[in-house]
Amino acid sequence: MCKRIILSIAVFLLVSCLSLSMGSYHLSWSELLRLIFGGIVSEQAYLVFFSFRLPRLMVAALVGGSLAVAGYIIQTLSRNPIADVGLLGINTGAACGSVLYFLLVGSYFSELNHYQYASLLLFGLIGACMAISLNLLLSFRGSQVHMMLFLLNGIAINLGFSAVTTFLSLKINPEDYDRVNHWLEGSIATASWETTRNILPVVLISVCLVILTAKHLAVLRFSDLHLMNIGFSYGRWRLFFLLIAAILVSATVFVAGSVAFVSLLVPHLTLLYIDRRSQILIPCIFWNGMTVAIFTDFVAKNLFSPNEIPLNAVIGVIGIPYLIGLYIKNRREIDGTSA
């Protein structure tokens, strides 16, 4: 396990350095080292590194880490290895709330960035909570949440909020339409230090809360009947973790749009070498989420440079084959068990 953790750290550092050095303006490794350690570089290199590359790297890291932790929460609560925030409609709910903000406010707050970011986060959180609340309302059977219904309703809610989001995006003014449409496809091209400052406290507080309550999250993998027999307040804790997942997803949606598959891939990749009962599981999931998101953004901005492709297009190339492989693996395990 120790070797794999060291390898994951090395991969993160390598991907980060590549992302910081490569782009439409190339920074050599010597320039990169001087920038990191305070050496003398050209004014243009200094501007590219500190005004564009570094804040973009930090936003990508926060987005990836947040989605990875939110994905692990959803997979644990639903007891389904292929569940993610997209499957349950959380990210489309957050995206719908954010697009509603553009419809209601539009460009009126274009010069008040702090208020704009705060409003987007609030509207996104409301949309995500609406998606979760609707799902829970439809999934109750008696006094318990039926988890199979929870997943099936999530798929329907995801499609419903996606349709509403498309409708709302067509109603906004033409000046905002292109920006919103590009944002919905997944992009952090407009990342800045202000974006980082706005989401950093939200992400760190939420992830720290998950780390501190990780034992309660692990217990929620068991059936409701078992949890009831041991006297565990599963209803209250389930709502708590769903709210944390909604906050994490809302924080990412309002800066990067709906980014798929990160929340599905990363928990599985981490569980390959970290035991589920380990105290470092959540930090490792967050770390690996950062690595995947930085690598995805690196490919998105460099594959067809100077043009960028949506993050979803890149992560989909990795995510869809992995999802198929995961399905085949689980099917073989089920067939082997029943045999």
Side-chain angles (χ1 to χ4, degrees):
M1 183 179 74
C2 185
K3 290 181 179 180
R4 293 188 178 183
I5 292 175
I6 294 172
L7 178 62
S8 68
I9 295 173
V11 171
F12 171 81
L13 293 175
L14 176 61
V15 171
S16 298
C17 290
L18 288 173
S19 181
L20 289 171
S21 64
M22 296 182 66
S24 54
Y25 180 87
H26 181 73
L27 293 171
S28 66
W29 288 96
S30 60
E31 284 180 312
L32 190 61
L33 289 173
R34 289 198 298 272
L35 283 163
I36 294 172
F37 295 105
I40 299 175
V41 293
S42 66
E43 185 177 344
Q44 188 174 11
Y46 186 90
L47 179 66
V48 167
F49 182 82
F50 284 105
S51 297
F52 300 102
R53 298 273 173 85
L54 192 56
R56 180 166 181 162
L57 177 80
M58 294 189 67
V59 169
L62 292 171
V63 166
S66 300
L67 286 174
V69 174
Y72 177 71
I73 291 173
I74 297 301
Q75 288 173 13
T76 302
L77 296 182
S78 64
R79 308 179 191 114
N80 190 318
I82 60 170
D84 73 339
V85 295
L87 185 65
L88 299 183
I90 299 176
N91 62 344
T92 49
C96 183
S98 299
V99 172
L100 180 61
Y101 162 81
F102 280 106
L103 178 63
L104 296 176
V105 180
S107 301
Y108 295 109
F109 283 97
S110 59
E111 296 182 0
L112 301 175
N113 290 326
H114 178 73
Y115 295 108
Q116 184 180 43
Y117 289 141
S119 301
L120 270 172
L121 182 58
L122 178 61
F123 272 73
L125 180 59
I126 292 172
C129 288
M130 284 180 62
I132 293 173
S133 301
L134 181 60
N135 198 343
L136 288 172
L137 183 65
L138 295 173
S139 303
F140 266 107
R141 288 298 177 269
S143 60
Q144 297 183 15
V145 175
H146 194 289
M147 296 313 296
M148 183 58 70
L149 286 177
F150 189 67
L151 292 173
L152 294 175
N153 291 332
I155 296 172
I157 290 169
N158 182 33
L159 294 173
F161 271 102
S162 180
V164 173
T165 302
T166 302
F167 175 78
L168 292 177
S169 65
L170 294 173
K171 294 294 182 179
I172 62 178
N173 66 66
E175 295 179 5
D176 289 327
Y177 177 77
D178 290 337
R179 178 176 55 173
V180 171
N181 194 44
H182 181 66
W183 167 73
L184 285 173
E185 292 176 346
S187 174
I188 54 173
T190 58
S192 63
W193 286 115
E194 187 170 6
T195 309
T196 307
R197 285 194 298 268
N198 276 279
I199 67 170
L200 182 61
V202 177
V203 172
L204 289 184
I205 292 172
S206 300
V207 173
C208 286
L209 286 174
V210 177
I211 293 172
L212 292 173
T213 57
K215 291 182 179 179
H216 295 85
L217 178 60
V219 172
L220 289 170
R221 291 190 299 113
F222 301 105
S223 68
D224 289 355
L225 181 61
H226 177 74
L227 296 176
M228 188 184 303
N229 288 334
I230 64 175
F232 184 77
S233 303
Y234 60 89
R236 185 170 56 189
W237 281 106
R238 186 176 287 149
L239 288 174
F240 168 77
F241 286 114
L242 283 173
L243 180 60
I244 293 293
I247 293 172
L248 288 171
V249 173
S250 301
T252 61
V253 164
F254 104 104
V255 296
S258 297
V259 180
F261 286 116
V262 174
S263 58
L264 171 65
L265 287 172
V266 176
H268 288 286
L269 294 175
T270 307
L271 287 168
L272 290 175
Y273 65 94
I274 300 291
D275 188 84
R276 194 180 288 272
R277 294 166 296 180
S278 174
Q279 295 181 348
I280 63 170
L281 176 61
I282 302 298
C284 286
I285 288 175
F286 187 82
W287 183 272
N288 290 334
M290 292 195 299
T291 304
V292 170
I294 292 171
F295 174 74
T296 302
D297 182 56
F298 166 73
V299 175
K301 70 180 181 181
N302 286 287
L303 190 61
F304 297 107
S305 182
N307 298 317
E308 288 193 22
I309 56 178
L311 293 177
N312 281 332
V314 179
I315 195 66
V317 173
I318 306 170
I320 292 175
Y322 187 85
L323 181 61
I324 295 171
L326 187 64
Y327 169 77
I328 294 172
K329 177 186 174 184
N330 287 334
R331 185 175 178 180
R332 285 175 180 172
E333 289 178 355
I334 292 171
D335 291 342
T337 304
S338 35

